Amino acid sequence: MLLRLATMADFNFIKSALLVLNIPYINPLHAINDIQKQRMYILEENGKIIAQCSLVPEEKYNYIAIKRLVVYPSVYRHS
């Protein structure tokens, strides 16, 4: 398994999967914003995205929160 920062090359897959899955706490705008701010991480297995999450600063509370966690069902994983 490989944990890495998400890149814009990942966005098309993420966008498509999020639109199909219709997860209420994350949408493509969240994803592109997190990728651009370099706070989204991707977990890959055998070259396929299996999960993602974003590490978001919570300045009010002085910590970084894990947000927008998505574990993709195998049917949505890509190579």
Side-chain angles (χ1 to χ4, degrees), residues 24-73:
Y25 59 85
I26 182 171
N27 62 49
L29 293 176
H30 289 124
I32 200 163
N33 187 39
D34 288 345
I35 291 170
Q36 290 173 340
K37 291 183 177 182
Q38 294 188 327
R39 60 186 186 196
M40 179 183 283
Y41 289 82
I42 297 291
L43 183 63
E44 283 184 344
E45 184 173 61
N46 298 323
K48 296 181 180 182
I49 295 176
I50 61 172
Q52 71 185 52
C53 74
S54 296
L55 300 179
V56 180
E58 293 288 348
E59 295 176 12
K60 180 177 178 181
Y61 302 107
N62 198 31
Y63 67 86
I64 296 175
I66 298 172
K67 292 192 173 187
R68 299 186 271 283
L69 174 64
V70 179
V71 178
Y72 290 103

